[in-house]
Amino acid sequence: MPTNKTPSLTIFSLFLGLLWFDYFPGLEAATGKVGSVPGVYVFGDSLVDAGNNNYLAFSVSKANYPHNGVDFPGKKPTGRFSNGKNAADAIAEKFGLPLPPPYLSLRGLFKEKRRKSAAVTGVNFASGGAGIFNSSDQKLVTIPLSHQVNHWLSIHRELTNQLGPAETQIHLSKSLFTVVIGSNDLFDYFGSFKLRRRNNPQQYTQSMADKLKEQLKRIHDTGARRFLVVGVAQIGCTPGKREKNSAIHECDEEANTWCSLYNEALVKMLQQLKQELQSSMTYSYFDNFKSLHDIISNPARYGFADVTSACCGNGKLNADTPCLPITRYCSDRTKYLFWDRYGHPTEAAARTFIDLMLSDDSQYSSPLTLTQLISS
């Protein structure tokens, strides 16, 4: 889940791609590689943020402190809201690509070589706390989706300068554009009497889907053709929501209902967008809601022992406080679904979700699985 709305608060081709791997530095193939595409470009919130918020001086939505990163190479906090790598990292590794660096880390006088390399293999534009609507980001000082797309336009110019227009078009048509966003907009709706008075849940979630459609079209207009779009999970089942929801710590079903409404609007929007674009867009929608529900319902099947508590925190369900240097964290992170009170997944959980995306079992993905998408 993305960062909650308080301060204490989605691979990736062929011969041409292999040629690029030889030409640009830092393109070492990762173990566990299941295929190749030339680049992966990531948009979203704290589920996939690789550290962009580290570069926002006044943002309160950061994870560049312990115990975040305890299992990341070098055991250092990088700005990922996780004990280790996140879902965007896992996707890139699965397809033999380097981890997409945060866009803001590529700016500056001495970053040209790294920026050129990343422009080809992939860049992460995601920002913890970000939303589809710009208003979702004002309190936290983050990068809303529209601004993330603006940043992509900058990378697109860089890529065009390197490869030329024709090769850029080929490259982008085979790359993966991953979008993981929406939960923070729902957190906003939960917490705002003004928003709830102005819009009923159906109206608000439809407006979310409509606004996302605008940004997907902007990305598509630059030459993007393959999209992985991840639905909103059961945010009512995060440790923080459970901890507040009675003595028996059940899920907040009202919050989950609103998530379902948005996912329904999202699925319809994607179908309509594909029709409007006359099949120049292909996509995989991943049902994060159902996948999380199934993991919580049968944790042992997926290798988890605790699917209600946070690994890092204090108090009931380890959800009284965020994950901070002064809090405790679990000894075996591979057995926990959630890293913190906000519902960010552990690295083990993130890898489980990516495995489900790549699975031949289509119960979580439509109209294509991720594997089918990159083969299309």
Side-chain angles (χ1 to χ4, degrees):
M1 305 303 148
T3 307
N4 205 336
K5 304 305 289 184
T6 64
S8 71
L9 341 161
T10 350
I11 248 203
F12 288 48
S13 164
L14 302 170
F15 179 66
L16 186 58
L18 294 173
L19 290 180
W20 283 326
F21 288 174
D22 289 334
Y23 182 77
F24 290 94
L27 307 187
E28 302 84 8
T31 58
K33 176 178 172 182
V34 297
S36 290
V37 300
V40 52
Y41 304 91
V42 183
F43 305 82
D45 51 38
S46 57
L47 284 172
V48 287
D49 183 2
N52 276 304
N53 285 10
N54 297 353
Y55 300 87
L56 302 178
F58 300 105
S59 177
V60 297
S61 182
K62 295 183 179 181
N64 57 345
Y65 52 82
H67 301 292
N68 297 299
V70 65
D71 296 311
F72 195 83
K75 298 186 180 298
K76 62 180 181 179
T78 61
R80 291 167 172 82
F81 295 77
S82 172
N83 61 299
K85 297 173 183 177
N86 63 27
D89 301 321
I91 287 173
E93 287 187 333
K94 284 288 187 179
F95 290 89
L97 292 170
L99 308 187
Y103 169 79
L104 294 184
S105 73
L106 303 174
R107 302 195 306 179
L109 292 175
F110 305 105
K111 304 292 182 67
E112 183 177 2
K113 183 176 181 180
R114 187 165 183 253
R115 181 182 173 96
K116 284 183 177 181
S117 177
V120 176
T121 60
V123 178
N124 191 316
F125 305 95
S127 175
I132 298 170
F133 297 128
N134 290 7
S135 59
S136 299
D137 315 279
Q138 293 174 353
K139 295 178 183 178
L140 297 174
V141 189
T142 65
I143 310 169
L145 182 59
S146 62
H147 294 188
Q148 295 180 31
V149 178
N150 291 342
H151 291 163
W152 156 243
L153 297 180
S154 175
I155 291 295
H156 181 265
R157 289 191 293 270
E158 176 76 54
L159 194 59
T160 304
N161 289 336
Q162 288 189 69
L163 305 179
E167 288 195 21
T168 295
Q169 182 61 50
I170 294 171
H171 177 83
L172 296 181
S173 70
K174 298 176 183 299
S175 295
L176 186 80
F177 291 78
T178 302
V179 183
V180 185
I181 202 162
S183 295
N184 288 310
D185 302 279
L186 291 171
F187 279 128
D188 271 351
Y189 188 74
F190 302 157
S192 172
F193 175 75
K194 184 178 180 181
L195 278 177
R196 286 185 279 115
R197 184 173 59 181
R198 186 187 309 159
N199 302 282
N200 64 36
Q202 290 84 355
Q203 291 170 329
Y204 184 78
T205 53
Q206 183 61 55
S207 66
M208 287 173 59
D210 292 342
K211 193 67 176 179
L212 177 59
K213 182 180 180 181
E214 292 178 15
Q215 302 307 321
L216 293 178
K217 290 179 73 173
R218 290 180 67 199
I219 301 171
H220 175 271
D221 288 346
T222 66
R225 294 297 179 262
R226 293 172 173 173
F227 291 82
L228 168 62
V229 182
V230 179
V232 171
Q234 292 181 306
I235 60 180
C237 293
T238 62
K241 284 291 185 181
R242 284 180 182 270
E243 194 272 333
K244 294 179 180 179
N245 197 37
S246 80
I248 56 176
H249 305 312
E250 294 178 337
C251 296
D252 183 338
E253 294 303 338
E254 182 181 20
N256 286 343
T257 296
W258 294 348
C259 295
S260 292
L261 285 174
Y262 169 65
N263 288 335
E264 290 171 6
L266 175 58
V267 169
K268 291 179 182 178
M269 180 274 284
L270 290 170
Q271 293 169 345
Q272 293 167 355
L273 180 59
K274 182 175 175 61
Q275 289 181 339
E276 291 176 17
L277 297 176
Q278 299 179 338
S279 299
S280 64
M281 165 192 176
T282 56
Y283 71 91
S284 176
Y285 165 78
F286 181 71
D287 191 341
N288 213 16
F289 190 99
K290 176 174 172 53
S291 64
L292 184 65
H293 171 270
D294 288 355
I295 292 172
I296 291 174
S297 298
N298 190 0
R301 177 181 177 184
Y302 301 91
F304 297 108
D306 192 319
V307 295
T308 57
S309 304
C311 170
C312 183
N314 281 324
K316 296 177 181 178
L317 302 183
N318 264 2
D320 284 346
T321 63
C323 180
L324 299 169
I326 60 172
T327 58
R328 64 184 181 182
Y329 62 94
C330 60
S331 59
D332 189 352
R333 273 79 69 191
T334 66
K335 298 301 182 183
Y336 276 71
L337 176 61
F338 298 114
W339 169 240
D340 58 19
R341 74 187 303 269
Y342 305 118
H344 296 110
T346 59
E347 178 177 336
R351 293 189 182 280
T352 298
F353 289 121
I354 302 308
D355 287 343
L356 291 175
M357 291 181 192
L358 290 165
S359 170
D360 292 333
D361 186 348
S362 62
Q363 64 173 312
Y364 301 114
S365 300
S366 64
L368 302 171
T369 66
L370 183 52
T371 301
Q372 291 169 336
L373 176 66
I374 64 167
S375 301
S376 63

